[in-house]
């Protein structure tokens, strides 16, 4: 595999996903869900094709079938990481419900394992959460905040000041709930935070909250969410 020179991440374009799936029907379904995010898709049906795709361009997420005609997903993940200095997160998908298969995939470095058939909502949430961790999102989305607050700059600034004043305690409550295993309290706080982030255009903080809502028991998602909050408050 020749790595070549990867282009830098262009924040103006949709994220790009490497989709590895050899079954035509399943690939069509997965591709439709990914493109609806929206995101760009580079499909591959074999391990060899996936390596070629990764050599040509940078991806923000790898979505990999664990069983391939010319190898397996865990092997492919190691090869991709060996050739990509800045490897994105990787999601595995499989029809095998054996817990041992899931455990082996997580041990190999996959962020999560999606079991087919899966609902569109389940797939979309997993994709968004993974992409939120891989993409360099801006702290503030001024256009979104302006639209949410009737294009009144004074309202935007006032609500952002209130949001930032409340953010340290909100972050502390999230950490306490997560570390104590109080998942009901954690989900309730994350639900309120998600709405607040949308109103003030706190885009990266909102992505961190969404990632944690998708996986409330994941330490990586908790750290990603906390880091986004720390960066806003200094």
């Amino acid at each position: 595999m020749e790595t070549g020179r990867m282009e830098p991440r262009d924040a103006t374009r949709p994220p790009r996903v490497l989709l590895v799936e050899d079954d035509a029907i399943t690939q069509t379904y997965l591709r439709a869900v990914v493109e609806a995010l929206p995101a760009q898709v580079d499909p591959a049906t074999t391990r060899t094709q996936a390596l070629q795709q990764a050599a040509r361009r940078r991806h923000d997420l790898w979505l990999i079938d664990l069983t391939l005609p010319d190898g397996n997903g865990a092997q492919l993940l190691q090869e991709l990481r060996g050739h990509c200095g800045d490897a994105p997160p990787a999601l595995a998908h499989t029809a095998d419900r054996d817990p041992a298969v899931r455990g082996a995939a997580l041990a190999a470095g996959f962020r999560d394992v999606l079991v087919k058939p899966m609902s569109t909502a389940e797939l979309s949430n997993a994709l968004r959460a993974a992409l939120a961790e891989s993409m360099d999102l801006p702290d503030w989305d001024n256009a979104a905040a302006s639209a949410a607050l009737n294009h009144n700059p004074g309202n935007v600034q006032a609500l952002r000041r209130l949001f930032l004043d409340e953010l340290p305690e909100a972050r502390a409550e999230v950490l306490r709930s997560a570390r104590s295993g109080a998942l009901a309290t954690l989900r309730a706080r994350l639900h309120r935070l998600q709405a607040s982030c949308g109103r003030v255009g706190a885009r990266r903080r909102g992505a961190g909250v969404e990632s944690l809502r998708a996986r409330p028991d994941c330490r990586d998602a908790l750290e990603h969410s906390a880091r986004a909050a720390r960066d806003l408050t200094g």
Side-chain angles (χ1 to χ4, degrees), residues 14-33:
R16 184 179 290 274
V17 176
L18 174 62
L19 169 59
V20 189
E21 170 60 64
D22 63 305
D23 179 76
I25 294 176
T26 302
Q27 185 187 99
T28 299
Y29 165 70
L30 294 175
R31 181 168 185 168
V33 176

Side-chain angles (χ1 to χ4, degrees), residues 14-215:
R16 184 179 290 274
V17 176
L18 174 62
L19 169 59
V20 189
E21 170 60 64
D22 63 305
D23 179 76
I25 294 176
T26 302
Q27 185 187 99
T28 299
Y29 165 70
L30 294 175
R31 181 168 185 168
V33 176
V34 174
E35 289 178 340
L37 291 176
Q40 297 173 312
V41 178
D42 290 322
T45 59
T46 65
R47 170 182 147 271
T48 300
Q49 287 180 6
L51 292 170
Q52 292 170 346
Q53 290 278 28
R56 285 195 285 266
R57 55 183 61 87
R58 182 190 187 281
H59 294 96
D60 302 295
L61 176 66
W62 295 327
L63 182 58
I64 300 173
D65 191 359
L66 287 180
T67 305
L68 299 169
D70 58 347
N72 62 71
Q75 174 191 13
L76 172 58
L77 179 60
Q78 298 312 308
E79 291 177 307
L80 288 169
R81 286 183 164 173
H83 291 287
C84 297
D86 185 18
L91 294 174
H93 53 99
T94 178
D96 195 331
R97 296 182 176 273
D98 186 345
V101 172
R102 174 181 174 81
L106 295 176
F110 284 100
R111 182 185 188 277
D112 201 357
V113 181
L114 306 175
V115 179
K116 300 174 284 192
M118 68 199 79
S119 70
T120 299
E122 178 187 2
L123 176 57
S124 296
N125 288 339
L127 292 168
R128 290 194 181 97
L131 286 168
E133 292 181 13
S134 72
M135 296 176 64
D136 186 18
L137 298 175
D139 284 333
W140 300 109
D141 186 336
N142 293 325
S146 180
L149 295 170
N150 298 318
H151 304 282
N152 186 316
N155 287 345
V156 172
Q157 293 306 314
L159 201 57
R160 280 184 178 174
R161 284 195 295 271
L162 180 60
F163 176 80
L164 289 172
D165 286 344
E166 295 178 349
L167 191 55
E169 177 54 33
R171 172 177 170 268
E173 184 179 347
V174 166
L175 290 173
R176 285 195 302 269
S177 301
R179 289 168 178 168
S180 66
L183 295 185
T185 302
L186 175 61
R187 290 190 178 95
R189 165 51 80 176
L190 291 175
H191 178 76
R192 295 195 300 272
L193 262 177
Q194 189 75 56
S196 297
C197 288
R199 282 193 292 269
V200 302
R203 189 172 178 190
R204 191 156 70 92
R205 174 57 171 152
V209 171
E210 182 174 355
S211 177
L212 188 56
R213 287 185 69 185
R215 299 187 304 158

